Amino acid sequence: SPQNNGKLKDSMLKILVIGDLATGKTSFIKRYVHDFFSQTYRATIGVDFALKILHLDDKSIVRVQLWDVAGQENIINMTRVFYNGALAAFIVFDVTRTYTLESVAKWKADLDSKVQLPDGSPVPCILLGNKCDQQREGIVNNPAKMDEYCKEHGFTAWYEISAKENINIQEAANALISKILQND
Ligand code: GTP
Ligand code: MG
């Protein structure tokens, strides 16, 4: 089989998706992996998984394993075990609720304190402002401020996305995957 000829490069990328309750982490993943969206909110309990297989070319396969971590209040006590072995992360906030962006620094600090690349550097992390199909609130209206915020907190980049309207989902995912593969 082509898997056994020794020439196929097959890599597994563990990527975390974290952020406050109901910001749209599950919706982002469902849109990216299954091109599906639901208006109905069902809170994730603990952690969920999704896998997307990318054929970069005829010699390389990338298995993108997305870890969908619940945003529930007490989850931070359990994140160490979830973060183990992760190569990158998305932190998701809701552009309609400023306080979910205020929590981003807490999520980033938790991430950086619990997982690093083999050389000790922080894992690449992209900030996602979801629900951009709706009215934005706060500094997300100011791209220059957002750029500054990202630089200050060590984010690779930030994107406004909409899981509902399928805006910037592929672009954000591709940017993080490229960043991981470029480090490797
Ligand atoms: P937890 O698992 O509880 O942490 O929530 P979550 O971050 O996984 O959020 P989830 O994806 O379940 O979405 C929460 C609610 O927001 C649901 O009712 C979704 O339908 C809605 N939602 C998600 N993405 C979007 C979006 O892009 N636009 C709009 N308008 N609503 C969205
Ligand atoms: Mg969820």
Side-chain angles (χ1 to χ4, degrees):
S1 85
Q3 268 85 0
N4 293 327
N5 70 5
K7 283 181 184 153
L8 191 85
K9 191 175 180 217
D10 187 335
S11 34
M12 171 74 88
L13 308 183
K14 175 175 173 179
I15 299 179
L16 304 168
V17 183
I18 58 181
D20 273 4
L21 204 68
T23 51
K25 301 175 295 296
T26 300
S27 300
F28 165 65
I29 293 169
K30 289 248 156 81
R31 176 59 82 188
Y32 177 60
V33 176
H34 306 293
D35 198 15
F36 168 85
F37 177 77
S38 167
Q39 215 59 258
T40 311
Y41 174 42
R42 294 166 86 197
T44 303
I45 309 297
V47 67
D48 244 323
F49 307 92
L51 183 70
K52 179 150 170 148
I53 299 176
L54 303 177
H55 297 263
L56 294 190
D57 52 53
D58 26 308
K59 291 211 178 77
S60 34
I61 290 180
V62 172
R63 294 169 202 275
V64 182
Q65 191 184 79
L66 294 154
W67 284 54
D68 179 6
V69 179
Q72 72 202 55
E73 191 94 340
N74 54 0
I75 203 76
I76 224 115
N77 303 318
M78 290 155 73
T79 52
R80 187 178 301 276
V81 62
F82 299 152
Y83 293 177
N84 189 28
L87 295 178
F90 290 106
I91 298 181
V92 184
F93 70 99
D94 177 344
V95 300
T96 73
R97 294 182 288 141
T98 302
Y99 64 89
T100 65
L101 177 57
E102 286 161 7
S103 296
V104 162
K106 175 200 77 181
W107 286 105
K108 184 68 164 68
D110 184 54
L111 176 74
D112 290 345
S113 72
K114 293 176 180 166
V115 66
Q116 292 87 32
L117 294 178
D119 71 358
S121 57
V123 298
C125 186
I126 287 183
L127 180 60
L128 301 177
N130 187 37
K131 311 193 189 180
C132 75
D133 55 280
Q134 293 191 317
Q135 183 78 45
R136 295 164 186 77
E137 196 184 79
I139 80 153
V140 73
N141 287 299
N142 186 334
K145 280 232 168 90
M146 286 299 294
D147 289 346
E148 200 177 294
Y149 180 90
C150 282
K151 222 172 152 186
E152 211 173 282
H153 291 86
F155 285 98
T156 303
W158 69 281
Y159 288 83
E160 278 194 328
I161 65 165
S162 167
K164 185 180 179 194
E165 303 294 336
N166 198 8
I167 299 167
N168 274 341
I169 304 294
Q170 287 292 332
E171 289 81 354
N174 290 344
L176 191 57
I177 292 161
S178 303
K179 181 74 184 170
I180 301 170
L181 297 175
Q182 167 196 320
N183 282 350
D184 150 89

